Amino acid sequence: MTSVSHNIRMEAFLMLLLVGLPILSAYAQEKSYIPDNYELKNFKTDTAEINRLILQSQNTSTDSSIVFLQTAYKKSILAKYNYGAAQSLLGLGVMYGHSGAYDSSLNYYKRAYYYCYNCPEKQFRVLLWQDMASSYARSGNRNIAFICLYKALEEIKNNDLQNNRTLTATIYLNIATMLTADGQDNKALYYLRKAEALVKNRNIYLPLLYLNMANAYHASNIDSYLVYSKKELALGKKYGSREISMLAYFSIGDAYVDSKIPAKGIQYIDSGIALVTTSTNPVHIVQYNARLGEAYYQLGNFKRAKYFLDIAGSEGKRLGLTDDERFYIDTTLAAIYTREGNFQKALEKQQEYSKSHDSFLKAQKDSLINKLEVTYRTAEKDKEIASQLEGIKHRNSLIIVVSIIACLLVMLIVSMYFITKNRKQLQEEKILNLEQEKKITELKGMLQGEEKERKRLARELHDGIMGQLSAVKLSLSFLKRKYSVLNNANDFSEVLSNLDEAAKDLRNTAHNLMPATLSYHGLGAALHTFCDKINQSNELQIHFYMYGELPKLQSYFELSIYRIVQELIQNIIKHAKATEALLQINFFDEQLTITIEDNGSGFNTETVDKAAGLGLTNVRERISAFHGTFTIGRRNEGGTAIEIVFDTNYMKNEESYVNKSSNNG
């Protein structure tokens, strides 16, 4: 049980260090950076206001912080203020990580990548990898977290940041913490000594260092563990840190409980509980109660032990503790009930745990359940045998055997029921997936049919009607040369001019039906050309930006994206009364993000799906066909903001699926 309690303590400490330190360092500097030669007429944003919003986000609740940071990010994009965008996205990643939304947290870090690497503050690159490590570690992907931390060290070396001793020591401490959690104490001590050499004269960092040192010695040297825990406690008291003092009290108390000195352990753990506040990590509360339960169990005070273990179990269930953490609590309770002779409760407690346990310590768990069941049944039968005549012993033994066989049969029937039920659910899910695939295939077929018809119309316009118009123009030009009197005929000249304008409009219509730039130069070039043509028409000024190396995608996918953007820009021209718009294409880590914003009149988000003439239903269907996400809303400054996100990995898998199906057919 000692090793499992250590896991609980290390999980809590990982949350303190891997989430706490990014907060200390993510806002370490407040310098402004505005690129040269930038002008955006109607989007005037003060960088001081952006910095103020970022600072406000650090002194309020999580929900309010997210609102401040999202506003700061939008203003940073409009001002092309990379420093503000990097800080805002890093902050959003930290906030969502605090809330346990690790997928959202990592998504914000991925979006921050471009701005961190295009910002003069090179330490943002280190913070990006450190913060990503935090989210990966807390979501259980520790291997990826290690890679991120070593990448952070690489950025420190590549960008000559070794003189930033605090930043370097922070990365060493994070690596050591994860190594300790994985039981690699010797490797952890190597990085801790490197961190100690960097911060030994900076007392504010020593409590965290000593906390790491203590945990690294926990498994191998209990005396060193106590020495560093007491050093940690002394510094926590010196600097008035409730959090550090609380953890130190618990570490010392935990050591005494592990050493079978429960009275002293209770004394120190109670001192730690006295420092708990409303902002204390709830994981700490669970571990305190669990260890108090273990201490009272060692003292033989089963009533107090059950009280604290029940609190730890119910709170741990609410927090979603892992199987091994709940195993520690439930097995201790089972041992108490066994010592009290309450074999029924002991059996129930162990079976309650076994329902949610998958394969962790399965052999040990099954063995314990079997022993408890035999003990329980033996005790029950002893009571019956004591109250009956000696002559029915054989009958009672037979009943026991029949009961066991009946229980086994019931267990077998129940198991078969759940297996059949699971198979049925899987089959239903498979049918649902096939229906969804069929729907998507039909929609793609419809889209491809539309594009085929567009190609046909474009060819007819270009090769047929355009050719006829050219022939008419040649004939009229010949008449003008043949009859000189027509040279001064204004009506005739106007006919020729109108004919030229009609040919130009027809050529543009054919191009819009099937843009040649898209076929020959790809999506980025086609969208850039499209924006240039809109700008030349003076109907709307579009600011176009593209970040990341956009690869060559499937032709029907690129064409669909082009149509989607074309439809949304036309909506702005027709309905928004806007003078300027922003079109941004961002490709990073196989994720394609399209952002469209304007400074127009906006709309009511509750009625947008019912608005006539916006064509959003067609847009949503196209995006849904490629498993993308579509978000639309009002900008705080007025106008509309749209974000479309595609996972291009899915497109690769989809193409592979289509090819495989074609080959099998």
Side-chain angles (χ1 to χ4, degrees):
M1 287 190 282
T2 299
S3 62
V4 180
S5 71
H6 180 57
N7 288 341
I8 298 177
R9 181 171 59 255
M10 286 310 303
E11 288 297 325
F13 181 62
L14 271 171
M15 183 173 288
L16 169 69
L17 190 64
L18 286 170
V19 176
L21 285 177
I23 297 174
L24 293 174
S25 54
Y27 308 117
Q29 302 183 30
E30 291 297 331
K31 299 178 182 177
S32 297
Y33 166 62
I34 305 177
D36 297 332
N37 303 323
Y38 181 75
E39 180 181 3
L40 189 58
K41 297 177 183 177
N42 293 329
F43 296 138
K44 295 181 179 178
T45 303
D46 185 3
T47 56
E49 181 186 359
I50 295 172
N51 293 336
R52 178 181 59 78
L53 287 168
I54 293 172
L55 286 173
Q56 280 184 304
S57 72
Q58 301 170 40
N59 301 303
T60 184
S61 65
T62 299
D63 291 339
S64 298
S65 295
I66 288 173
V67 173
F68 285 131
L69 291 168
Q70 286 177 337
T71 304
Y73 169 65
K74 291 179 180 178
K75 289 180 178 292
S76 299
I77 292 299
L78 295 176
K80 209 174 182 182
Y81 180 40
N82 287 4
Y83 182 93
Q87 275 198 306
S88 302
L89 290 172
L90 287 175
L92 285 166
V94 171
M95 290 300 112
Y96 278 98
H98 271 321
S99 305
Y102 302 117
D103 289 340
S104 297
S105 174
L106 289 168
N107 184 49
Y108 278 109
Y109 291 142
K110 291 175 182 178
R111 290 169 65 180
Y113 180 92
Y114 169 80
Y115 302 104
C116 289
Y117 276 78
N118 287 274
C119 177
E121 296 297 339
K122 294 184 179 179
Q123 76 170 26
F124 277 2
R125 305 177 187 183
V126 181
L127 298 178
L128 172 67
W129 292 109
Q130 175 189 263
D131 292 354
M132 288 180 71
S134 169
S135 288
Y136 277 122
R138 291 301 304 155
S139 62
N141 294 317
R142 292 190 181 173
N143 289 336
I144 300 178
F146 272 119
I147 293 172
C148 291
L149 289 174
Y150 288 124
K151 181 66 177 177
L153 286 179
E154 182 182 326
E155 291 295 341
I156 289 175
K157 180 180 178 181
N158 293 341
N159 293 286
D160 296 324
L161 295 173
Q162 292 92 337
N163 291 332
N164 192 331
R165 301 165 71 86
T166 302
L167 185 62
T168 307
T170 299
I171 304 302
Y172 287 149
L173 284 173
N174 278 322
I175 294 174
T177 301
M178 292 183 57
L179 288 170
T180 303
D182 286 346
Q184 302 183 57
D185 296 332
N186 289 333
K187 290 183 179 179
L189 287 170
Y190 167 78
Y191 284 101
L192 288 171
R193 293 187 182 105
K194 290 171 74 72
E196 184 178 23
L198 293 172
V199 299
K200 59 184 177 183
N201 296 323
R202 306 191 66 179
N203 292 337
I204 191 172
Y205 290 95
L206 289 178
L208 285 176
L209 179 66
Y210 291 152
L211 182 59
N212 266 274
M213 286 285 194
N215 281 294
Y217 280 117
H218 179 266
S220 59
N221 191 330
I222 197 68
D223 293 332
S224 296
Y225 175 72
L226 276 170
V227 167
Y228 280 106
S229 295
K230 289 179 178 179
K231 285 184 177 182
E232 173 196 347
L233 177 60
L235 287 174
K237 290 180 177 179
K238 179 179 178 180
Y239 296 113
S241 171
R242 296 176 67 95
E243 183 80 5
I244 295 297
S245 298
M246 179 185 67
L247 289 172
Y249 274 125
F250 172 71
S251 296
I252 297 169
D254 190 46
Y256 283 123
V257 173
D258 286 346
S259 300
K260 307 301 180 185
I261 311 175
K264 270 196 171 185
I266 292 171
Q267 175 187 344
Y268 278 97
I269 294 173
D270 283 341
S271 297
I273 290 177
L275 297 176
V276 168
T277 66
T278 55
S279 62
T280 299
N281 189 325
V283 176
H284 297 329
I285 309 299
V286 173
Q287 72 184 93
Y288 292 159
N289 284 292
R291 294 304 277 164
L292 278 174
E294 168 69 14
Y296 280 110
Y297 170 68
Q298 292 181 14
L299 287 173
N301 189 339
F302 298 149
K303 182 177 180 181
R304 294 288 289 169
K306 286 188 290 184
Y307 171 77
F308 288 110
L309 288 168
D310 284 338
I311 292 175
S314 60
E315 185 65 12
K317 186 176 182 180
R318 184 182 69 81
L319 294 172
L321 288 183
T322 58
D323 289 344
D324 55 329
E325 291 162 350
R326 286 187 289 106
F327 178 73
Y328 167 70
I329 296 169
D330 288 341
T331 50
T332 305
L333 281 170
I336 291 172
Y337 286 127
T338 302
R339 292 279 296 275
E340 290 179 335
N342 191 343
F343 302 114
Q344 175 66 39
K345 288 288 290 183
L347 179 61
E348 288 175 359
K349 180 57 63 177
Q350 197 62 31
Q351 287 180 332
E352 177 184 337
Y353 162 73
S354 67
K355 290 179 182 178
S356 58
H357 202 289
D358 48 3
S359 59
F360 179 81
L361 295 177
K362 188 175 185 303
Q364 293 91 325
K365 179 199 69 178
D366 291 343
S367 175
L368 182 56
I369 291 175
N370 291 336
K371 289 179 182 178
L372 286 169
E373 189 165 6
V374 170
T375 304
Y376 165 68
R377 293 191 180 280
T378 301
E380 289 296 305
K381 286 304 171 184
D382 285 342
K383 292 178 184 178
E384 293 178 11
I385 292 171
S387 63
Q388 293 177 359
L389 297 174
E390 193 71 25
I392 59 173
K393 286 185 178 180
H394 179 71
R395 178 186 169 189
N396 287 341
S397 299
L398 183 61
I399 292 173
I400 293 173
V401 173
V402 172
S403 298
I404 293 174
I405 293 173
C407 288
L408 291 173
L409 287 173
V410 170
M411 291 175 63
L412 180 62
I413 292 170
V414 171
S415 298
M416 292 299 295
Y417 168 76
F418 282 110
I419 291 172
T420 304
K421 184 178 179 181
N422 288 337
R423 285 179 179 173
K424 184 178 179 181
Q425 288 178 344
L426 289 173
Q427 190 170 10
E428 289 175 352
E429 290 176 3
K430 186 176 180 181
I431 292 171
L432 185 64
N433 290 335
L434 288 172
E435 290 176 350
Q436 182 68 14
E437 288 291 343
K438 181 182 178 183
K439 182 179 178 182
I440 292 171
T441 302
E442 290 174 351
L443 182 56
K444 287 181 180 177
M446 182 186 73
L447 295 176
Q448 290 172 352
E450 288 180 0
E451 295 306 326
K452 185 176 180 180
E453 182 63 14
R454 286 174 183 267
K455 288 181 181 179
R456 188 189 67 78
L457 288 174
R459 282 196 301 270
E460 277 211 17
L461 289 175
H462 186 274
D463 299 340
I465 300 175
M466 280 291 295
Q468 293 175 7
L469 285 177
S470 297
V472 171
K473 183 180 177 182
L474 285 173
S475 298
L476 291 175
S477 298
F478 175 76
L479 289 174
K480 188 175 182 180
R481 289 194 303 271
K482 184 175 181 180
Y483 302 103
S484 58
V485 68
L486 294 177
N487 290 330
N488 299 321
N490 292 333
D491 291 342
F492 190 80
S493 297
E494 186 176 348
V495 169
L496 286 175
S497 178
N498 289 339
L499 191 61
D500 285 337
E501 190 66 29
K504 181 180 178 182
D505 290 344
L506 192 62
R507 188 179 300 106
N508 288 336
T509 301
H511 176 78
N512 287 334
L513 283 170
M514 182 48 58
T517 307
L518 182 63
S519 302
Y520 295 110
H521 302 290
L523 179 62
L527 290 175
H528 191 275
T529 301
F530 173 71
C531 291
D532 285 345
K533 288 189 176 182
I534 297 294
N535 291 340
Q536 290 170 11
S537 70
N538 294 322
E539 292 179 297
L540 179 72
Q541 287 298 304
I542 304 176
H543 301 275
F544 177 76
Y545 303 98
M546 187 166 71
Y547 303 114
E549 293 293 330
L550 188 63
K552 180 64 177 175
L553 303 170
Q554 299 300 326
S555 58
Y556 66 87
F557 180 49
E558 288 190 339
L559 190 54
S560 292
I561 293 176
Y562 182 85
R563 297 296 181 209
I564 290 167
V565 173
Q566 193 177 41
E567 178 71 27
L568 293 173
I569 294 297
Q570 290 299 327
N571 281 344
I572 293 173
I573 294 172
K574 294 177 183 178
H575 306 287
K577 300 178 183 178
T579 58
E580 295 195 31
L582 169 76
L583 172 59
Q584 179 177 294
I585 309 298
N586 194 337
F587 184 80
F588 173 70
D589 198 16
E590 306 302 325
Q591 181 173 285
L592 176 62
T593 303
I594 302 167
T595 303
I596 301 175
E597 297 184 0
D598 65 70
N599 65 345
S601 56
F603 55 85
N604 186 343
T605 56
E606 295 180 357
T607 60
V608 65
D609 288 328
K610 300 178 181 179
L614 292 181
L616 292 182
T617 300
N618 184 40
V619 169
R620 290 183 190 276
E621 288 179 351
R622 284 176 178 265
I623 293 171
S624 176
F626 298 107
H627 292 262
T629 61
F630 178 80
T631 306
I632 183 168
R634 291 177 63 90
R635 297 172 63 248
N636 292 336
E637 302 83 353
T640 305
I642 295 173
E643 185 177 71
I644 304 168
V645 181
F646 294 102
D647 184 355
T648 57
N649 272 324
Y650 177 82
M651 292 307 305
K652 294 176 183 176
N653 295 336
E654 182 71 13
E655 183 65 16
S656 174
Y657 173 79
V658 171
N659 291 336
K660 183 178 179 182
S661 300
S662 300
N663 293 334
N664 290 340

